[in-house]
Amino acid sequence: MTNNMINLEKLNNNQKIAVTSPLSSLLIVAGAGTGKTNVLTTRIAYLIDYFKIDPNNILAITFTNKAAAEMRDRVNKIIDINIPWIGTFHGIALKILRDDINKINKNNNFGIIDDEDERKILKEIISNENMTINIKPNDIVNGILNLRNNNLDINLIDNLSIQKKREMFGSIDLNNFKIIYLKYEEYKKNLNILDFDDLLIFLFKLLNDVPTIRKKWQEYFKYILVDEFQDTNELQFNILKLLINENKNNITVVGDPDQTIYTWRGAYANIFNDFLDYCKDTITVILDLNYRSTKNILKAANSLIKNNKNRIKKDLITSNDVGSEITYFHGQNQYDEAMYIANKIKSLIKNDSHDYKDIAILYRSNYISRNIEQELINCSIPYKIIGGIKFYQRMEIKDLLAYMKLLDNENDELSMKRIINVPRRGIGDTVIKKIDEYAKNNFISFIETMKLTNDDNHNNITWNYKQVLQFTNLINDLRIEIKDLKLSEKLLHIIKKISYMEYLKNNNSEEQMQNVNELVNSLINFETKNENATMHDFLEDIVLYSDNNNQEKNNVVVLMTIHMSKGIEFKTVFLIGMNEGTFPISNKRDNDLEEERRIAYVALTRAKEHLYISSSDGYSYISNSQLSPSRFIKEIGSDNYKCDTTKFESISKLDLSWYDSKKIKNYDEYYSDENIQFNIGDTIIHTVFGTGTIIGKNNDFIDIAFKSPYGVKTIISTHKSIKRLKR
């Protein structure tokens, strides 16, 4: 029995089973909206209260720092105990490597670089190698990511099949890729820096290659819990195998196979089966009671996802009301679709049933938002797009962090190069190249070469002596002046010393100035919560920080990709752009199609009370094809939605007929043969080619895009074979 510290009465039966399961391997299959976070945090509290596990010996892993902070707070509210080992895979890896990376001949005082720094290094390597063909750093980054996700040695890529090479590396020349990759690894080694992927790579190497260290951490972590298990990649899973005990009975994983939507970054749908194969005696508990959505919404979601074959079968149920019917609208074109959505939002607000913040517009790809954005502006509907540049990735923030990094570590070459001419002080790329050449020719580092500027004997120095000397003196002065200041005071002094606000003001960068002020606020908050913390602690904390959902709270409609919406819920959801070739994306194989379906499932289950789905006719220049409704509309089932015929009653009737290719279409009912003016964007019907969209005009001739296999045809506008859709 517990000590009455944990209230299990609020849990449903399956949740109780999950929370109170014995110390064993436990798989909790938690459907959308089934209260998995509550179950996971209560499970942690139960381990401490009932099984008497020391909180210091519990490891809980999730995928964002925000989720880790929420988990920590929830456990603290239940049992009033702090759990020090709650964090992301990367955060946990960093803590372990700080202790033991020296056991694999690495320096414990390594630095960490982020994605932007990685691209900057690769760009520099490509430039130095004088590649004769154009290579983009982003392509190299993606190639490195795929190399690591497939756990593949760089020397073995020549053995891959042509198709596998194309999938992993695209059109990159593999000989050049090898050169760049090896130079990149050498660069990091020489500067004692790791990128994000390295944190996991070296943690795996440490645990795998050093049995004493593996045993140390296996004995230290008495119980391990993993949230969002469906997002775990192969390397992370292999790390877990090395951390759990030899009996494989001290781990709980929580996730939903139906929400595996990140295979493009390494997650794989079969991980649940792999887990069950590895931990043979696993107890499996399915959470299927949804607390979020209405019966109608869940019925549609279940109908859709059951078409996937590679899944653990479950149907979400709920005690919530039946709710309003799901609404499907098919527009004459994308503008028509956007107008419908904007007008529907205006109606919801006018009826006092919604605030703007209750509404989300979701889409498969970012480009789909353009039309709806324009219509929201036209209708004066306030909105924001989630998923812009992250705060700590903004130019002005990166500049100031680079100053802090250089002052914290005088050998930080990357930071030195970033801010050597920020604000502008006459040290351009030509000067930097000369310093690089001098360093290379004399077998010393860039930083050591910079220090030569302070020597009296500088006859051999060919770069801009005065400006470089002023910069090195500035850094030396700053290092002395901020030594005894508080964290926030250090940053304020740097900003003042380099006249950074004046620099931004001269560039008319009011928004950037506000961002700098917010950076100061973040430092104040950090030093308040972390007494005696150093600048190094702050820099290490933010380099790991990634929070996609940390947006200002205001009363606006939210627009985002479905991937960005995962883990969030809204009173009303508009799922737009549900066209074949757009969603699902064109040319998908069976496994990819199943993921596309899971993405759609995630979108449907974001809605609590109201769900609107829309598609349109027209022509897509992205897929170069005529638009038609997504197959997912059919899989949701016509019994599970109503068609909104607000503007074009005939369209819904006509275009849903694509479900049955044998159905005879009476086009005369829907199209007019009157002598009328044709316009670009009009939907027409041809007696042979079928429906098409006008995409161009030249005097009396019109260009019409028809569905495959016909393509674009040029036809005189008065020809009797064509008719236009009735208005």
Side-chain angles (χ1 to χ4, degrees), residues 45 97 114 433 600 655:
L97 292 176
D114 60 16
K433 190 171 183 179
D655 289 297

Side-chain angles (χ1 to χ4, degrees), residues 523-589:
L523 262 168
I524 293 172
N525 291 333
F526 184 80
E527 65 189 6
T528 301
K529 295 178 181 178
N530 300 274
E531 191 177 354
N532 301 321
T534 65
M535 189 156 67
H536 183 81
D537 294 331
F538 174 73
L539 292 170
E540 199 164 81
D541 185 74
I542 63 171
V543 80
L544 290 168
Y545 188 82
S546 71
D547 182 359
N548 291 332
N549 302 320
N550 186 24
Q551 301 288 332
E552 66 274 16
K553 292 183 179 179
N554 43 33
N555 192 22
V556 296
V557 174
V558 171
L559 279 69
M560 69 180 95
T561 64
I562 299 166
H563 282 91
M564 290 295 300
S565 74
K566 189 168 175 290
I568 317 176
E569 59 186 39
F570 297 92
K571 183 176 181 178
T572 293
V573 166
F574 288 85
L575 177 54
I576 69 173
M578 287 291 285
N579 287 99
E580 194 71 13
T582 302
F583 194 15
I585 294 175
S586 300
N587 302 321
K588 287 292 183 180
R589 297 170 300 176

Side-chain angles (χ1 to χ4, degrees), residues 63 67 226 253 285 303 321 325 339 352 441 461 468 516 616 619 687:
F63 276 81
V226 185
V253 297
V285 180
S303 178
D321 293 337
E325 284 186 277
M339 282 191 294
D352 293 327
N441 292 335
I461 295 175
V468 174
V516 170
S616 66
Y619 186 78
T687 53

Side-chain angles (χ1 to χ4, degrees), residues 21-37:
S21 285
L23 292 176
S24 62
S25 172
L26 174 64
L27 167 60
I28 303 174
V29 180
T34 57
K36 72 171 180 64
T37 304

Side-chain angles (χ1 to χ4, degrees), residues 298-307 634-637 640:
L298 295 185
K299 186 180 176 186
N302 289 333
S303 178
L304 172 70
I305 200 62
K306 73 180 182 182
N307 291 279
K634 179 181 180 181
E635 292 176 357
I636 287 170
N640 292 326

Side-chain angles (χ1 to χ4, degrees), residues 130-157:
N130 294 317
M131 295 291 180
T132 56
I133 58 174
N134 183 30
I135 298 177
K136 297 178 182 178
N138 280 351
D139 292 338
I140 301 297
V141 169
N142 291 333
I144 292 173
L145 180 63
N146 287 329
L147 189 75
R148 290 169 168 177
N149 282 342
N150 286 272
N151 196 26
L152 186 65
D153 188 291
I154 184 68
N155 297 310
L156 298 178
I157 60 176

Side-chain angles (χ1 to χ4, degrees), residues 15 61 70-71 88 141 171 175 190 194 197-198 214 265 294 427 458 463 550 589 622 657 690 697 705:
Q15 289 176 331
I61 303 175
E70 181 185 359
M71 189 185 297
T88 64
V141 169
S171 60
N175 289 327
N190 290 339
L194 304 181
D197 289 335
D198 288 330
R214 179 168 67 249
R265 67 184 190 194
T294 64
I427 309 175
H458 53 269
W463 53 82
N550 186 24
R589 297 170 300 176
I622 304 296
S657 66
K697 292 177 60 179

Side-chain angles (χ1 to χ4, degrees), residues 190-395:
N190 290 339
L191 293 182
N192 191 34
I193 54 178
L194 304 181
D195 60 32
F196 272 13
D197 289 335
D198 288 330
L199 292 174
L200 301 185
I201 290 169
F202 282 107
L203 176 59
F204 174 77
K205 181 175 176 59
L206 174 68
L207 297 173
N208 189 62
D209 295 356
V210 189
T212 55
I213 299 301
R214 179 168 67 249
K215 186 175 181 181
K216 166 189 169 181
W217 291 105
Q218 283 180 346
E219 291 178 350
Y220 185 82
F221 296 127
K222 303 301 182 186
Y223 205 87
I224 299 172
L225 305 98
V226 185
D227 191 16
E228 301 288 2
F229 189 61
Q230 75 278 348
D231 296 337
T232 305
N233 64 35
E234 187 173 0
L235 176 58
Q236 291 163 342
F237 185 36
N238 286 335
I239 289 171
L240 288 174
K241 292 177 185 177
L242 295 171
L243 286 174
I244 62 177
N245 63 30
E246 294 180 355
N247 296 323
K248 305 174 185 177
N249 63 358
N250 67 328
I251 185 168
T252 291
V253 297
V254 184
D256 184 4
D258 291 334
Q259 296 187 70
T260 304
I261 63 173
Y262 290 112
T263 60
W264 50 273
R265 67 184 190 194
Y268 62 107
N270 206 44
I271 191 169
F272 290 87
N273 291 331
D274 287 358
F275 177 79
L276 292 172
D277 286 342
Y278 186 73
C279 300
K280 299 291 186 183
D281 297 323
T282 295
I283 298 171
T284 300
V285 180
I286 294 179
L287 305 183
D288 55 6
L289 181 58
N290 177 284
Y291 293 93
R292 176 188 299 158
S293 305
T294 64
K295 286 183 172 67
N296 277 334
I297 292 171
L298 295 185
K299 186 180 176 186
N302 289 333
S303 178
L304 172 70
I305 200 62
K306 73 180 182 182
N307 291 279
N308 274 5
K309 296 178 174 58
N310 182 26
R311 61 186 294 259
I312 298 175
K313 292 184 179 180
K314 70 177 189 308
D315 275 345
L316 292 178
I317 58 175
T318 185
S319 57
N320 292 337
D321 293 337
V322 173
S324 60
E325 284 186 277
I326 295 171
T327 301
Y328 172 60
F329 175 79
H330 184 79
Q332 179 179 350
N333 51 49
Q334 291 165 312
Y335 306 105
D336 183 30
E337 181 183 5
M339 282 191 294
Y340 170 79
I341 294 164
N343 287 329
K344 183 61 66 174
I345 292 173
K346 286 167 62 178
S347 176
L348 293 172
I349 300 299
K350 184 178 180 181
N351 295 335
D352 293 327
S353 62
H354 285 67
D355 289 327
Y356 289 116
K357 65 184 178 183
D358 296 328
I359 301 169
I361 300 174
L362 307 182
Y363 35 82
R364 176 64 179 88
S365 304
N366 277 306
Y367 73 86
I368 300 170
S369 72
R370 186 178 66 85
N371 290 317
I372 184 62
E373 279 189 75
Q374 186 60 56
E375 196 56 39
L376 294 176
I377 293 170
N378 293 342
C379 295
S380 300
I381 295 173
Y383 74 95
K384 66 179 175 184
I385 294 182
I386 306 294
I389 299 174
K390 298 175 185 176
F391 180 79
Y392 290 111
Q393 295 296 325
R394 294 172 184 172
M395 181 271 289

